[in-house]
Amino acid sequence: MYPIELFSVSKHTVKEAKMGAVIHCIACWEPYKSPFTFFPSFSTHRSHSSPLPPKLAMAPSEPLSLTPVQDSPLFDYPRLDQQLIHTIAYDALVWSSLHGLLVGDKSVQRSGSVPGVGLVHAPLALLPTPFPEKQWREANELAPIFNELVDRVSLDATFLQESLSRTKKADEFTSRLLDIHSKMLQINKKEEIRLGLHRSDYMLDEKTKSLLQIELNTISSSFAGLSNLVTELHRYILSRHGKLLGLDSKRIPANNAVNQYAEALAKAWSEYNNPRAVIMIVVQAEERNMYDQHFVSDVLREKYNITTIRKTLAEVDHEGEILPDGTLFVDGQAISVIYFRAGYTPIDYPSESEWSARILMEQSSAVKCPSISYHLVGTKKIQQELAKPGVLERFIENKEEIAKLRKCFTGLWSLDDSNIVRKAIERPELFVMKPQREGGGNNIYGDDVRKALLKLQKEGSLEDAAYILMQRIFPSNSAAILMRNGCWHKDRAISELGVFSTYLRNKDKVIMNKQSGYLMRTKISSSDEGGVAAGFAVLDSVYLT
Amino acid sequence: MYPIELFSVSKHTVKEAKMGAVIHCIACWEPYKSPFTFFPSFSTHRSHSSPLPPKLAMAPSEPLSLTPVQDSPLFDYPRLDQQLIHTIAYDALVWSSLHGLLVGDKSVQRSGSVPGVGLVHAPLALLPTPFPEKQWREANELAPIFNELVDRVSLDATFLQESLSRTKKADEFTSRLLDIHSKMLQINKKEEIRLGLHRSDYMLDEKTKSLLQIELNTISSSFAGLSNLVTELHRYILSRHGKLLGLDSKRIPANNAVNQYAEALAKAWSEYNNPRAVIMIVVQAEERNMYDQHFVSDVLREKYNITTIRKTLAEVDHEGEILPDGTLFVDGQAISVIYFRAGYTPIDYPSESEWSARILMEQSSAVKCPSISYHLVGTKKIQQELAKPGVLERFIENKEEIAKLRKCFTGLWSLDDSNIVRKAIERPELFVMKPQREGGGNNIYGDDVRKALLKLQKEGSLEDAAYILMQRIFPSNSAAILMRNGCWHKDRAISELGVFSTYLRNKDKVIMNKQSGYLMRTKISSSDEGGVAAGFAVLDSVYLT
């Protein structure tokens, strides 16, 4: 997944100021009176991974009783001296350049296809964001439990097919995935080596401070490479400026995501047991987040002497074949592990060629990360099903684990739940309507929820609607200094914690099952007057409080 | 010094093909029929560091009997399979991005002032260039001798002033430097701690295979940071693809330039003995080669815990002051060492402010790298004087060392040498006319040398002319694959070897005096039909043969 929409800021092209937010350019030291339209919206391919902060989408007539949080004096970043911020920002930009904390610049045409061209530092939080240690531990403890849950659910073909049967009608993409799943059932395809590189994303609820799961990514979990570097960068910044800031670099937890992802891939390669085989990364033709992926390949080569190749779905279709023994050959090379960094959105399948590639790979003996069943477990609908009473018990025996999982579940309901629909019409500010389909889409907030539900009710099409209802999360917010394209900007921001996890099983033997680093993403919790969301997300790390 | 003129290649903007040279873009795999005008001229601030290859500037009526060199089958890069080159090029681009082998992209406005913005891989030779081991050793052995020579010449104020007296008339810039030198003599300024970070540049003569010195840089020797990385890149490429290429990564000599430059700066800092003082890098306001400099600062901080600050000459003028004890304070910080990465060209002194800064620094007790006298020793005129019979003996006792130095001297003559002027009028193809002044300028080649000399003779202004004559070097050429802006291009190329050296003395104690890594630069040895040079230089490393 590639959630960051980059943009370009030309030095002296500043749009009309709407909000009076000040953006500082490292180059000219001139504060920019800039609107938030300066920063385009941040979106992930899963729309619900970026719920809108409450004050953005609130209809002015329906104020929520949100108490602004008082930051501890430590994290009162707004009080920081401009000169100090400037110095730290300069250091951060240099560090990012020397250490590869980079992405392709959207404004440069070839930056998504040619490495080394059109590079720009990754969008960054200048300083780490405070996060309570208790909830941090909870999130980490959940990682192996979710790993196990994904694996068990993936084995229950009936549960998957039945749960997704209605989604299948509403969403062509899920329907195609289910077809592949059915086909594999028909040919009795066995997946003995099962590799999961997941990332579970959470937000902290403002009032209760409880950890709420936003989504569980089972395909193409991104930023193992760069999040690692952001943590190193923040530790470096605090080692240099921590005394002045009153912050201790040791309070930033270690982040070894890239090595752990590489380790899991290497071990899967090893289980497959063909020394001549390579790992294939399935990629999008244009990928501005390519360096994140290259760092994983770099560790695979340097530490494990394993070659990776990069192929688009279309290339796999053209160059791939399966030998009688099940071995996948692409471009003349045997493939041991298929690591998907594409294929999670309908956009990745512009023609039948891409679907053929997906089926070809699924039929092969290569380890898939993920297999079609792991992919399906990550759908919103399955997340919703698992949250229903009694469902977790079908997969997990341990009562404590069930309690831990349930505690982080955000309310998710389908529109055939008339109680919830009634509640949502009464108190739309407590809900978000989300499209069923994968691959992102526009969420519905505020009074529009009421309107949409009433319309569907009137049409009698609630049950077949391609939407679900989700509990509206009111996330904690804190001060942040966000950097993008060489400029920095102080604002209130909300953060989302992603916990990477790795799981590897060969037949009955569980080889790996652990938390494997983290990703913190932070974005501005403001809006322009139009009420339209204007997020601007940056990579961040955690400062334990 | 910043010798690489970067340029931008838009994906589908290709100028009219003149030469039929094929440039391959990593992105679209389409060969570009491209002219050499695609690549702008490569120039250093010292014009004679890039003598034109002979076939470029030769008048068609005067062919030289150049025998094209046969490459050994090993380095017959043109025979390489396109697919293999593509793979290696891709690997090289990724490696460069992850490891900071980057420069600012000329086509991005803020790339010279804001780190982390508008980055592009440094121009590169895809594979190292063969260089004979014997001459490689010779070049390294010369390093400490040149270090010693610079130091001794710098102490001979009379020699410097007298040798440069005529240049002073012709060149305002040298004149200003000499004024500072005179002023320091008047106030009897002592430089007890003497730090030299030099780079001596050589080419191999085609016929004799002898090593000829092009210039000796005593100020702002660039690429200690990036040349280091290019060597690592080439070793990495050969470790991956060496078997296929028949090349052994161990034949690329180690290059530790960045650490040795940092070590010398750190030791000078230590000799200055003020633990609270910082090292100041004097920089140009716009510097697209900034990462080369940042790598040196990075080692100073990580390995020696020494802070560096970056200031332009104008900033030093505004923020600098000298305490009664001689300590230089800039922006409230005591400066132990001044490391010039600007100030070597008249362009760096647009107003009196910059000259004031230079004088201020020179008067302080800070260690200057270089001092005004070290700077003057690096002028072309001094290079020329040292080449005259008997002059080296004034500074060096050891006969062997004198012989070694003399062996690498290229013929340099002033225009008052009537014998040489006569020869040059007869055989202009054996000479280059170079402007006296520092900071670069247009060299005169071929029949234009004859015309210019005859004109000056007629005017009776030979002696006062702002030119010198230099022996025309006919450098060896070999096959190369040059990469720039994500594209690669095979061609014949010539190379220039720069040997870094470090020298540190405190009073009578020589603390460091050694060879300190190297820089290989390679450029196309072709021209367009117009006879105008079209160089395109890339960073390279040495493969010992």
Side-chain angles (χ1 to χ4, degrees), chain A residues 45-91:
Chain A
H45 78 278
R46 306 287 175 86
S47 57
H48 60 158
S49 77
S50 46
L52 291 176
K55 53 176 175 159
L56 296 199
M58 284 303 300
S61 56
E62 298 170 302
L64 273 183
S65 58
L66 272 182
T67 32
V69 190
Q70 273 311 104
D71 291 314
S72 95
L74 277 188
F75 300 101
D76 184 16
Y77 296 147
R79 95 194 131 81
L80 292 179
D81 175 58
Q82 300 274 98
Q83 175 64 56
L84 178 62
I85 296 179
H86 191 82
T87 302
I88 299 175
Y90 190 94
D91 282 354

Side-chain angles (χ1 to χ4, degrees), chain B residues 394-408:
Chain B
R394 186 163 166 177
F395 302 104
I396 309 267
E397 301 81 34
N398 186 316
K399 294 243 183 314
E400 253 180 68
E401 289 182 353
I402 291 173
K404 281 181 184 175
L405 289 172
R406 202 155 269 150
K407 195 179 161 201
C408 79

Side-chain angles (χ1 to χ4, degrees), chain A residues 114-370:
Chain A
V114 184
V117 172
L119 299 153
V120 65
H121 72 95
L124 296 170
L126 191 55
L127 295 164
T129 293
F131 198 94
E133 189 163 358
K134 181 171 162 282
Q135 284 80 345
W136 162 252
R137 288 188 192 283
E138 274 175 29
N140 288 336
E141 284 166 14
L142 283 167
I145 309 176
F146 270 116
N147 278 347
E148 197 64 51
L149 180 65
V150 170
D151 190 58
R152 300 221 178 146
V153 174
S154 78
L155 293 169
D156 193 335
T158 317
F159 175 78
L160 287 176
Q161 288 282 343
E162 282 179 3
S163 302
L164 294 165
S165 59
R166 190 169 288 159
T167 315
K168 193 179 165 100
K169 290 180 200 158
D171 175 31
E172 168 71 12
F173 181 62
T174 306
S175 171
R176 296 296 302 256
L177 295 177
L178 276 171
D179 288 346
I180 298 174
H181 185 249
S182 301
K183 192 170 176 187
M184 295 307 122
L185 289 175
Q186 279 163 23
I187 63 170
N188 198 25
K189 180 79 176 66
K190 294 284 173 240
E191 295 295 329
E192 291 181 338
I193 307 172
R194 308 168 72 83
L195 173 63
L197 297 179
H198 310 315
R199 199 189 69 222
S200 181
D201 293 335
Y202 305 93
M203 278 192 162
L204 273 191
D205 183 63
E206 172 70 63
K207 286 185 186 164
T208 61
K209 296 293 172 207
S210 61
L211 196 70
L212 291 176
Q213 188 182 42
I214 304 299
E215 71 172 339
L216 177 62
N217 303 278
T218 59
I219 182 169
S220 196
S221 309
S222 59
F223 291 118
L226 296 192
S227 69
N228 219 51
L229 286 174
V230 178
T231 300
E232 274 183 59
L233 167 67
H234 283 157
R235 286 181 158 198
Y236 158 74
I237 288 174
L238 294 200
S239 74
R240 288 201 77 185
H241 306 284
K243 272 189 189 165
L244 264 172
L245 298 165
L247 298 174
D248 177 6
S249 66
K250 293 190 194 71
R251 300 295 300 164
I252 303 175
N255 194 1
N256 205 11
V258 70
N259 287 313
Q260 304 211 38
Y261 263 37
E263 183 192 356
L265 287 161
K267 284 190 169 163
W269 177 88
S270 176
E271 290 298 315
Y272 187 81
N273 200 23
N274 176 355
R276 282 186 304 276
V278 302
I279 293 177
M280 177 170 72
I281 309 184
V282 178
V283 296
Q284 295 177 336
E286 293 270 324
E287 176 61 271
R288 285 179 289 112
N289 195 27
M290 66 170 93
Y291 306 103
D292 180 51
Q293 303 170 358
H294 286 307
F295 274 111
V296 177
S297 299
D298 192 58
V299 178
L300 282 169
R301 188 187 54 246
E302 292 296 311
K303 204 166 168 184
Y304 302 99
N305 200 27
I306 297 173
T307 300
T308 51
I309 61 170
R310 296 167 66 82
K311 295 287 173 187
T312 61
L313 286 166
E315 285 168 341
V316 172
D317 183 44
H318 296 135
E319 303 168 14
E321 56 169 338
I322 298 182
L323 300 197
D325 71 349
T327 307
L328 176 65
F329 263 77
V330 178
D331 195 14
Q333 287 178 290
I335 309 298
S336 55
V337 182
I338 303 163
Y339 175 33
F340 284 90
R341 291 298 294 259
Y344 51 81
T345 160
I347 300 162
D348 289 344
Y349 301 82
S351 74
E352 283 305 306
S353 173
E354 288 77 15
W355 285 112
S356 300
R358 186 74 194 260
I359 293 165
L360 184 84
M361 291 187 281
E362 202 63 33
Q363 288 173 315
S364 79
S365 65
V367 182
K368 293 113 206 146
C369 179

